[in-house]
Amino acid sequence: LMRVKIPEGLHKLPGPKPLPIIGNVLEVGSNPHLSLTAMSKCYGPIFQIQIGTRPVVVLSGNDVIRQALLKQGEEFSGRPDLYSTRYISDGKSLAFSTDQVGVWRARRKLALSALRTFSTLQSQSSQYSCALEEHISKEGLYLIERLHSVMKSDGSFDPFRHIVVSVANVICGICFGRRYSHDDDELVSLVNPSDEFGKIVGSGNPADFIPILRILPSCSMKKFLAINARFSAFMQKIVKDHYDSFSKDNIRDITDSLIDHCEDHKLDENSNVQVSDEKIVGIVNDLFGAGFDTISTALSWSVVYLVAYPEIQERLQRELNEKVGMERTPRLSDRTELPLLEAFILEIFRHSSFLPFTIPHCTTKDTSLNGFFIPKDTCVFVNQWQVNHDPELWKDPSCFNPDRFLTADGTDLNRMEGEKVLVFGLGKRRCIGESIGRAEVFLFLAILLQRLEFSGMPGELLDMTPEYGLTMKHKRCLLRVAPRPGYAS
Ligand code: HEM
């Protein structure tokens, strides 16, 4: 390991003493969000660990994270070159790859504009405010039918298994202009066993940092490679079909609009960077991948929390009865009228912190933070879980209490409190799907809660311990659902 020369006036980062070869892998353990939060209490909000021989800077605390990602955003906006991320989208991912800054910026702008255009697109039917609302409403109602039929045949249902197909269909609608049946084996198997993906790309996977681990046989790694290969094959087929039926006069979805961009080389008009066609059309891989896993994890956790806190489920249903009634399906515009549901979602984001770290960042040049020197190309973990459980920011952080996000009289959302929750990252790498993500979690939940009542299996305890990964999932479980009075199945 090279000795780093610290410029005068700056300090060396504190942190635990590393062991030869493995560094601090043992202390980091299998729940890095917990171990690195505990270390921040000992070493402060900026400290350094070593995974293998590679130094990693860990950031915690609202102030330090805001300083790094907002005020010094440019310097902390890189992505590290990690072993596992080379396999995601053949190393061409917008979110994970180490694209040079101009290329990443051009791709991100294109992705944002495509998402915005195709989610706010006018719906064919005046019943809906936009295409996104139409997709979510329809998928929400299909999901309800599906859950009723699974209940009739099996007497219980696995929440993630069904929710993920509905959520994937919303993003498929926007990206590919099509949906899949809940029985479609290809889609169901593609979106369901993604746990291995999350485990490998979650911050702190030792094989990313210790080369010897890459040549040892690893069952997780094999599954991870297989998932990536299957994902690529699925996407390539869809993209090929789009190229074959492409017509400039009829841009049907995001895939078409990206193909159109390649044909026109529109990207090159305003910038000097050259981005290959493959990297432009490949943006759709990121949108699809990020668009189903995050939202289905959030919704599946929501259902588990509803079961764990039946009195909150009842209050949410009362709010829906009063503000929306039973005569019509909830809409996106009901958001301002349903503060308790909004507060519940914020508390799910905070309490579960199911994205415990952002995707790893990397410094783009030598820099300093709070007087500590951080060299160029240093890998940086941003601990969102710590911020969401910091006793300096939250009263009783381990307690699940949506009321913390309501005003004192309980009738309105306390937006300032809501802004303290950190789940979408911040600054230059902030999630580009945030508004779609928030809208989707809200509308799916409103539709489900209006018509259904969720409960656990009699005599079985719910295990709420998250399984660590890029997105932390709850353990697979079986639940029950019944139509609410007034809604026959
Ligand atoms: C990045 C969270 C939904 C697309 C991220 C990051 C987080 C995040 C934490 C990393 C930020 C960083 O590295 O600092 C979430 C959550 C979601 C969600 C909690 C839902 C509840 C979506 C959706 C899409 C999306 C629906 C697209 C359709 C992306 C992309 C990036 C990203 C492309 C990479 C941005 C970049 O590296 O420049 N998201 N996300 N996300 N997200 Fe999301």
Side-chain angles (χ1 to χ4, degrees):
L1 186 67
M2 284 201 309
R3 283 214 166 271
V4 176
K5 194 167 174 320
I6 314 273
E8 224 179 274
L10 295 180
H11 305 286
K12 183 172 172 280
L13 286 156
K17 208 172 149 40
L19 290 172
I21 303 171
I22 60 169
N24 302 109
V25 163
L26 298 177
E27 291 117 297
V28 173
S30 55
N31 281 306
H33 59 302
L34 302 180
S35 59
L36 297 180
T37 296
M39 280 186 209
S40 74
K41 288 183 192 143
C42 178
Y43 300 107
I46 314 171
F47 63 94
Q48 179 173 303
I49 53 169
Q50 215 170 279
I51 308 189
T53 51
R54 188 161 177 171
V56 173
V57 171
V58 183
L59 304 183
S60 337
N62 203 24
D63 295 343
V64 160
I65 292 176
R66 281 176 184 272
Q67 174 69 32
L69 300 188
L70 296 174
K71 300 212 178 97
Q72 295 173 229
E74 201 72 48
E75 293 141 50
F76 285 89
S77 65
R79 293 282 189 225
D81 180 12
L82 297 178
Y83 174 68
S84 61
T85 58
R86 287 176 216 158
Y87 294 95
I88 304 174
S89 298
D90 301 321
K92 297 191 185 71
S93 158
L94 157 69
F96 290 94
S97 82
T98 55
D99 272 340
Q100 49 143 305
V101 71
V103 172
W104 159 68
R105 213 176 270 140
R107 294 178 83 201
R108 184 175 160 102
K109 205 168 136 204
L110 191 52
L112 256 170
S113 121
L115 266 186
R116 207 170 287 145
T117 308
F118 283 89
S119 55
T120 56
L121 203 69
Q122 218 173 359
S123 155
Q124 309 277 19
S125 153
S126 60
Q127 208 182 329
Y128 306 105
S129 65
C130 60
L132 180 68
E133 185 175 81
E134 178 173 358
H135 287 302
I136 305 170
S137 283
K138 288 185 172 163
E139 292 304 330
L141 298 178
Y142 283 132
L143 176 61
I144 290 174
E145 268 175 41
R146 179 75 186 178
L147 295 183
H148 286 320
S149 90
V150 173
M151 277 304 292
K152 274 197 188 123
S153 60
D154 304 352
S156 63
F157 76 100
D158 164 356
F160 191 82
R161 156 75 178 74
H162 302 285
I163 287 173
V164 72
V165 178
S166 305
V167 171
N169 269 333
V170 172
I171 195 75
C172 282
I174 296 172
C175 288
F176 318 133
R178 65 162 294 184
R179 67 179 300 273
Y180 293 81
S181 138
H182 278 253
D183 298 314
D184 186 291
D185 284 342
E186 194 185 10
L187 183 84
V188 171
S189 68
L190 191 74
V191 295
N192 256 288
S194 52
D195 315 21
E196 233 56 45
F197 183 88
K199 267 184 222 156
I200 298 276
V201 296
S203 295
N205 162 34
D208 272 337
F209 299 90
I210 308 175
I212 183 92
L213 294 181
R214 296 170 203 166
I215 50 173
L216 298 175
S218 151
C219 187
S220 284
M221 195 63 196
K222 257 198 213 130
K223 283 192 197 157
F224 171 74
L225 296 180
I227 291 169
N228 279 297
R230 210 140 39 90
F231 191 83
S232 284
F234 177 81
M235 297 303 296
Q236 270 166 19
K237 199 162 81 195
I238 291 176
V239 168
K240 182 175 178 307
D241 287 348
H242 274 71
Y243 267 110
D244 291 347
S245 56
F246 179 77
S247 156
K248 235 183 152 20
D249 305 323
N250 179 23
I251 302 297
R252 300 160 292 186
D253 48 38
I254 287 187
T255 311
D256 270 357
S257 92
L258 294 170
I259 293 172
D260 192 34
H261 267 280
C262 300
E263 296 219 326
D264 282 1
H265 290 284
K266 283 180 191 156
L267 263 188
D268 299 342
E269 281 170 15
N270 303 320
S271 67
N272 296 321
V273 289
Q274 283 291 331
V275 185
S276 67
D277 287 5
E278 222 185 330
K279 278 205 173 182
I280 293 176
V281 181
I283 289 172
V284 79
N285 293 17
D286 281 79
L287 299 182
F288 177 57
F292 77 79
D293 188 51
T294 47
I295 297 176
S296 27
T297 305
L299 282 169
S300 194
W301 270 115
S302 302
V303 169
V304 170
Y305 275 87
L306 288 172
V307 170
Y309 296 89
E311 68 291 354
I312 297 178
Q313 177 168 199
E314 217 180 298
R315 283 176 61 200
L316 287 164
Q317 284 163 337
R318 225 177 301 137
E319 184 184 66
L320 270 158
N321 276 5
E322 284 164 19
K323 304 285 177 47
V324 177
M326 301 294 237
E327 303 296 315
R328 65 167 178 86
T329 307
R331 301 185 194 110
L332 287 174
S333 57
D334 292 320
R335 255 167 105 169
T336 47
E337 295 300 313
L338 299 170
L340 183 61
L341 181 52
E342 286 279 74
F344 173 75
I345 294 169
L346 285 167
E347 186 65 342
I348 295 281
F349 285 165
R350 185 198 72 81
H351 193 262
S352 75
S353 286
F354 65 89
L355 256 140
F357 293 90
T358 65
I359 298 169
H361 284 237
C362 166
T363 45
T364 54
K365 56 167 150 160
D366 283 357
T367 183
S368 68
L369 190 60
N370 280 17
F372 293 108
F373 177 62
I374 308 177
K376 181 175 189 285
D377 292 330
T378 304
C379 178
V380 178
F381 290 173
V382 178
N383 193 346
Q384 303 199 114
W385 193 95
Q386 186 279 335
V387 172
N388 295 334
H389 290 83
D390 188 345
E392 305 257 318
L393 287 180
W394 311 99
K395 188 166 170 275
D396 300 331
S398 59
C399 174
F400 183 78
N401 175 21
D403 290 306
R404 67 172 81 243
F405 293 109
L406 294 179
T407 50
D409 64 359
T411 56
D412 237 325
L413 195 66
N414 181 343
R415 291 191 189 276
M416 293 267 279
E417 274 307 281
E419 276 163 26
K420 287 174 7 191
V421 181
L422 190 57
V423 273
F424 293 96
L426 284 173
K428 303 220 173 287
R429 285 282 180 170
R430 188 181 186 127
C431 174
I432 60 168
E434 177 172 349
S435 53
I436 293 187
R438 288 187 192 270
E440 226 176 300
V441 174
F442 166 80
L443 194 51
F444 263 115
L445 274 180
I447 292 173
L448 295 178
L449 276 162
Q450 186 194 42
R451 297 175 185 226
L452 302 176
E453 188 150 321
F454 295 96
S455 58
M457 299 297 281
E460 276 184 30
L461 275 182
L462 263 183
D463 183 351
M464 310 272 286
T465 321
E467 297 185 326
Y468 180 75
L470 177 68
T471 51
M472 296 201 289
K473 310 266 195 295
H474 57 79
K475 293 201 175 66
R476 284 296 178 98
C477 59
L478 291 175
L479 302 175
R480 301 207 306 180
V481 69
R484 286 188 64 210
Y487 281 106
S489 60

